[in-house]
């Protein structure tokens, strides 16, 4: 069987600290390493459409919310697990490009609904074809059963860490 980068890291730790159980590195290290490798492969597809991964995540969350493609900034922040400052920057950049809209200024901008514009929806829809084709390419080395097993195991790990589905509800405009 071929060795990967994490096999080398674990072997080095066994050499330097033989009395410790390094098995968690085999899982956590691989997940972290895979995230880095996947980012490297996914970013070019998104940047080819003029977006960063973070910007795409915002637009995709709004698109997934369904018509009227609207969420509050706080809902987006929770959904995407980013800081409110990071979200503010993303929203400003996307608004400036006409991909989202926000209502007129209010005392607390975190409560103003963020809405995907028609241009934003068209862009997400176009990207999704390329993005999914790229993801299929990235998984091509694994047969369908292995992909299914891996998805099940990753879901189990996410649940063990407290990740629970909590469908974000679209923002409701109250007329204020």
């Amino acid at each position: 069987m071929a060795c990967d980068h994490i096999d080398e890291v674990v072997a080095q730790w066994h050499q330097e600290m033989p009395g410790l159980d390094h098995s968690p590195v085999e899982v956590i290290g691989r997940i972290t390493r895979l995230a880095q490798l996947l980012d490297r492969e996914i970013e070019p597809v998104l940047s080819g459409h003029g977006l960063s991964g973070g910007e795409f995540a915002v637009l995709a969350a709004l698109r997934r919310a369904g018509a009227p493609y609207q969420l509050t900034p706080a809902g987006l922040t929770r959904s995407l697990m980013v800081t409110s400052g990071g979200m503010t920057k993303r929203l400003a950049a996307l608004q400036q490009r006409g991909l989202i809209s926000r209502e007129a200024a209010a005392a607390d901008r975190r409560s103003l609904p963020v809405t995907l514009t028609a241009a934003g929806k068209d862009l997400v829809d176009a990207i999704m074809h390329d993005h999914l084709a790229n993801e299929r390419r990235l998984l091509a080395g694994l047969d369908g059963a292995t992909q299914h097993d891996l998805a099940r195991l990753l879901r189990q790990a996410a649940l063990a860490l407290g990740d629970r589905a909590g469908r974000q509800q679209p923002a409701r405009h109250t007329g204020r």
Side-chain angles (χ1 to χ4, degrees), residues 4-139:
D4 67 2
H5 176 73
I6 299 303
D7 289 325
E8 184 177 301
V9 169
V10 170
Q12 290 168 337
W13 278 121
H14 278 300
Q15 178 82 23
E16 294 301 313
M17 300 183 83
L20 291 178
D21 173 14
H22 303 290
S23 62
V25 176
E26 295 189 52
V27 176
I28 304 300
R30 279 195 176 88
I31 291 170
T32 302
R33 178 77 171 160
L34 283 170
Q36 294 167 348
L37 295 170
L38 291 170
D39 281 347
R40 188 175 71 197
E41 295 291 327
I42 291 170
E43 279 294 328
V45 171
L46 301 177
S47 66
H49 289 277
L51 293 177
S52 70
E55 291 169 334
F56 175 70
V58 169
L59 297 179
L62 291 167
R63 178 66 174 94
R64 288 191 317 266
Y69 312 113
Q70 191 175 76
L71 294 168
T72 65
L76 281 167
T77 299
R78 279 191 309 276
S79 174
L80 302 176
M81 296 184 303
V82 297
T83 65
S84 59
M87 182 59 67
T88 299
K89 286 182 181 179
R90 288 180 190 175
L91 294 178
L94 293 168
Q95 185 173 12
Q96 184 175 13
R97 293 168 51 200
L99 301 173
I100 64 166
S101 64
R102 310 231 7 229
E103 297 194 12
D108 185 0
R109 292 186 59 81
R110 291 173 299 175
S111 64
L112 292 176
V114 178
T115 305
L116 189 64
T117 64
K121 181 180 177 292
D122 290 346
L123 182 58
V124 171
D125 290 354
I127 290 173
M128 282 305 294
H129 294 282
D130 293 342
H131 182 58
L132 291 173
N134 187 43
E135 287 187 343
R136 277 189 286 281
R137 176 188 66 82
L138 294 170
L139 293 172

